[in-house]
Amino acid sequence: MTDKPNHFPERLALLADLNAAQYLTEGLLTGKEDVPAIALNKISEPLPHTAESRAELEPVRDLIDDAMHGFRDGKPTAADAWLAPRLHATLRISRREAADRRFWNYLALGVAPDYVVWRHLSEPKKDGELPKVAAERFRGPANKQAFARLWWAAELFRNGSDYAPVVTVCTNQDMLNTSLRLDVIDHRPTAQAMVRLIDRGTVRTGRDVNALAAAINASAATLMYDVVAPDAERDGRPLRAWIEAAESAPAVPRRALPEGPGEERVPETSVSALVDHFAELFTEAPVRGKVVADDAKADEA
């Protein structure tokens, strides 16, 4: 497997899609080769905020090392729930900054290609084909790229400063993979209502999650969630203060959850209203395999 990169600059950087593509070799994707770090850093671009401590590379790399070490004896997928809130709290970037694919390209190829291989290498195949990482885990859309998906999950599912809902989402791979593709997930009460249904055990399996997501998406075509379940008015000041506080913030805790921006929590009345609505949608949603199981029980009776 790809070894830990042995040449780090002091700062994070940006790596254009076209430049990133040339490093997505078969050797890298199969975990047999390293990224030529010196050459890559020569074509990377500096961040606009290079004078700020949040541009420092070492805290991010240390966090990723701890994730791989802490979950080395289990399934790599289990690292998602631990890393997502801590990555978000370590980077302290805005949505505008997070929308720049160049940032995530560099994080995957210039900072932690070994993590991407460790986390996303496919299972061995019976036909003898080498296990491989999909190229989109290094350079891809936000719902696929190894680090962007974790950051956006933390951003969309945190409840103000509380990252606990993020842990719920990232513990369920189907929820994590499906929810990030939904346009309605940007509505905070919708996001928290989906989490609540998982916490209550109403939604359990991957098939349940997929059925619920499809039902919510379809219902959004006729029901305006932001009207029936309004969110608190967003105030950008807590986020700006949180980002500025990066200059004096200590490293994120490894055992306890960190605290995110001190934004107002999602109104509980809105979450409750959508929980009831989504639960009703779910009872009528076609869950793959559910009808077969019910029919089998009826036959046994």
Side-chain angles (χ1 to χ4, degrees):
M1 183 177 290
T2 300
D3 294 328
K4 176 179 177 178
N6 55 17
H7 181 85
F8 287 123
E10 294 183 356
R11 302 284 181 177
L12 298 171
L14 304 174
L15 183 65
D17 272 349
L18 189 61
N19 290 331
Q22 66 182 290
Y23 294 103
L24 300 179
T25 64
E26 189 73 9
L28 174 66
L29 299 180
T30 54
K32 303 299 182 183
E33 296 178 1
D34 296 332
V35 175
I38 296 177
L40 180 143
N41 282 302
K42 286 181 178 179
I43 59 173
S44 63
E45 307 166 52
L47 289 173
H49 50 270
T50 52
E52 299 179 27
S53 63
R54 66 193 183 102
E56 293 177 358
L57 186 149
E58 186 177 1
V60 181
R61 180 66 221 194
D62 287 347
L63 182 69
I64 293 168
D65 283 340
D66 288 346
M68 290 192 289
H69 178 77
F71 294 89
R72 66 189 184 282
D73 296 328
K75 291 185 177 181
T77 54
D80 287 353
W82 185 89
L83 184 56
R86 292 169 176 83
L87 181 69
H88 187 276
T90 297
L91 293 175
R92 297 206 183 201
I93 58 177
S94 66
R95 288 192 180 190
R96 181 175 181 177
E97 291 167 323
D100 190 342
R101 285 169 53 119
R102 297 175 301 166
F103 180 81
W104 304 113
N105 290 344
Y106 186 81
L107 205 57
L109 287 163
V111 178
D114 54 328
Y115 170 86
V116 181
V117 172
W118 173 80
R119 169 61 184 83
H120 291 288
L121 193 69
S122 64
E123 295 292 331
K125 297 182 179 180
K126 294 180 180 179
D127 60 7
E129 184 179 344
L130 287 175
K132 190 175 181 179
V133 179
E136 62 190 1
R137 298 301 187 181
F138 286 97
R139 186 197 70 156
N143 66 314
K144 294 287 187 179
Q145 205 273 352
F147 295 110
R149 67 195 284 269
L150 299 180
W151 189 92
W152 281 105
E155 173 66 11
L156 294 170
F157 284 99
R158 64 182 173 85
N159 192 354
S161 63
D162 183 11
Y163 285 116
V166 180
V167 175
T168 295
V169 169
C170 293
T171 300
N172 187 313
Q173 287 296 306
D174 291 282
M175 179 64 172
L176 175 57
N177 294 332
T178 300
S179 63
L180 293 182
R181 298 198 302 264
L182 302 177
D183 291 338
V184 294
I185 212 63
D186 194 41
H187 180 238
R188 295 199 307 160
T190 294
Q192 294 305 314
M194 293 183 72
V195 172
R196 194 73 55 85
L197 289 174
I198 294 176
D199 285 339
R200 289 183 178 182
T202 303
V203 176
R204 299 174 183 272
T205 68
R207 291 178 177 181
D208 288 348
V209 168
N210 292 332
L212 175 64
I216 289 174
N217 227 24
S219 176
T222 56
L223 181 65
M224 298 181 66
Y225 294 151
D226 56 345
V227 173
V228 299
D231 195 358
E233 186 173 347
R234 303 298 293 271
D235 182 352
R237 288 174 295 181
L239 176 61
R240 289 193 296 271
W242 184 72
I243 290 175
E244 291 169 0
E247 293 300 309
S248 57
V252 298
R254 270 32 177 184
R255 293 183 181 274
L257 282 175
E259 288 191 9
E263 296 174 317
E264 189 171 348
R265 292 176 63 88
V266 180
E268 182 59 31
T269 52
S270 294
V271 177
S272 297
L274 288 183
V275 165
D276 293 340
H277 177 62
F278 292 166
E280 184 177 348
L281 289 177
F282 181 66
T283 60
E284 301 174 358
V287 178
R288 190 160 61 92
K290 183 178 180 180
V291 174
V292 174
D294 291 344
D295 288 346
K297 290 180 180 178
D299 291 341
E300 292 174 2

